Amino acid sequence: MSQLLRVQCFTVSQDGFGAGEGQSLERPFGHADPTALFSWAGATASWVNRTDPGGTRGLDDYFTRDHARSMGAEIMGRNKFGPQRGPWKDYEWKGWWGETPPFHTPVFVLTHHERPSFTLSDTTFHFLNAKPAEALALAKEAAGGRDVRLGGGVSTVREFLDAGLVDTMHIAVAPVDIGRGERLWKSPTELLDRFHLETVPSASGVTHLLFWRR
């Protein structure tokens, strides 16, 4: 079976934004309220960042269980890794996730300003100045036959979509408007020339959009 490049559990607002304006250390999603966007995932029993027992079961949990299923590597943009821009002033910043990042795989961070790789727990971060196809080839090799997750942010997902490299996507649409920021689309129908689409509403209020390549 061929390896897939998958977008999984990626959340946008109902007006198509994945993050707001003004990202900073204090506000990773800019002016947008992350609770309004991601509470559906955080409430589930299987959410990757859950540290206590409990959580909901059902449709939303079905999708969060897939967040790590069969994933052997992740690709992300520098904006997902941290709020810094331009050349690295130092190497102290090691991501938002503390000493035990939730990836448990190699992670390839796309950046114009490379830095040495480092390992936290069972996650190794690599920093690449590479085109999407080049980064995907490296990630697939590191994934050892498993799939590669395209973790975001929005500009990175769009870059790989434009390059025709994404195989499947699960996008959760939260019932909130952000109004400005990083926009994935004006309408998901923009992708119907390249993808099939199935829409699955959830009792939590989010709508799950499932895309797979035509």
Side-chain angles (χ1 to χ4, degrees):
M1 182 180 295
S2 62
Q3 292 172 281
L4 300 176
L5 179 62
R6 296 162 48 197
V7 177
Q8 186 66 35
C9 292
F10 192 88
T11 302
V12 300
S13 63
Q14 60 190 1
D15 54 349
F17 293 93
E21 289 183 344
Q23 183 193 37
S24 66
L25 182 62
E26 294 75 23
R27 298 189 67 87
F29 290 89
H31 80 281
D33 177 7
T35 300
L37 284 171
F38 303 109
S39 60
W40 75 270
T44 65
S46 302
W47 182 232
V48 64
N49 293 319
R50 176 169 289 282
T51 57
D52 56 334
T56 63
R57 296 292 182 177
L59 181 64
D60 292 346
D61 187 63
Y62 174 86
F63 286 112
T64 57
R65 287 202 304 272
D66 261 0
H67 183 264
R69 181 182 59 82
S70 299
M71 297 295 188
E74 167 143 346
I75 297 170
M76 68 172 64
R78 183 170 172 181
N79 286 12
K80 179 174 177 179
F81 179 76
Q84 303 88 348
R85 303 292 183 269
W88 299 96
K89 295 180 181 179
D90 58 56
Y91 296 148
E92 291 301 312
W93 177 264
K94 294 186 176 180
W96 305 102
W97 305 282
E99 293 299 316
T100 309
F103 306 103
H104 314 295
T105 66
V107 174
F108 295 86
V109 181
L110 300 183
T111 173
H112 295 299
H113 303 278
E114 298 179 40
R115 60 180 276 184
S117 300
F118 65 86
T119 299
L120 292 173
S121 184
D122 56 356
T123 298
T124 299
F125 291 90
H126 305 283
F127 299 83
L128 304 177
N129 184 1
K131 295 184 182 300
E134 297 167 343
L136 180 57
L138 290 170
K140 283 186 172 181
E141 182 178 2
R146 292 182 291 170
D147 293 341
V148 176
R149 179 173 50 239
L150 183 59
V154 170
S155 61
T156 299
V157 172
R158 291 196 61 90
E159 188 176 7
F160 278 76
L161 283 171
D162 291 343
L165 297 173
V166 177
D167 295 299
T168 69
M169 294 198 298
H170 161 234
I171 308 293
V173 180
V176 295
D177 289 323
I178 293 178
R180 64 189 191 279
E182 289 194 85
R183 195 171 207 164
L184 182 62
W185 55 45
K186 292 183 178 179
S187 168
T189 59
E190 296 168 14
L191 302 180
L192 293 185
D193 60 330
R194 289 167 279 168
F195 292 92
H196 302 281
L197 169 61
E198 186 166 337
T199 301
V200 186
S202 170
S204 64
V206 304
T207 299
H208 299 283
L209 304 182
L210 306 178
F211 296 86
W212 64 102
R213 189 195 291 271
R214 288 188 180 276

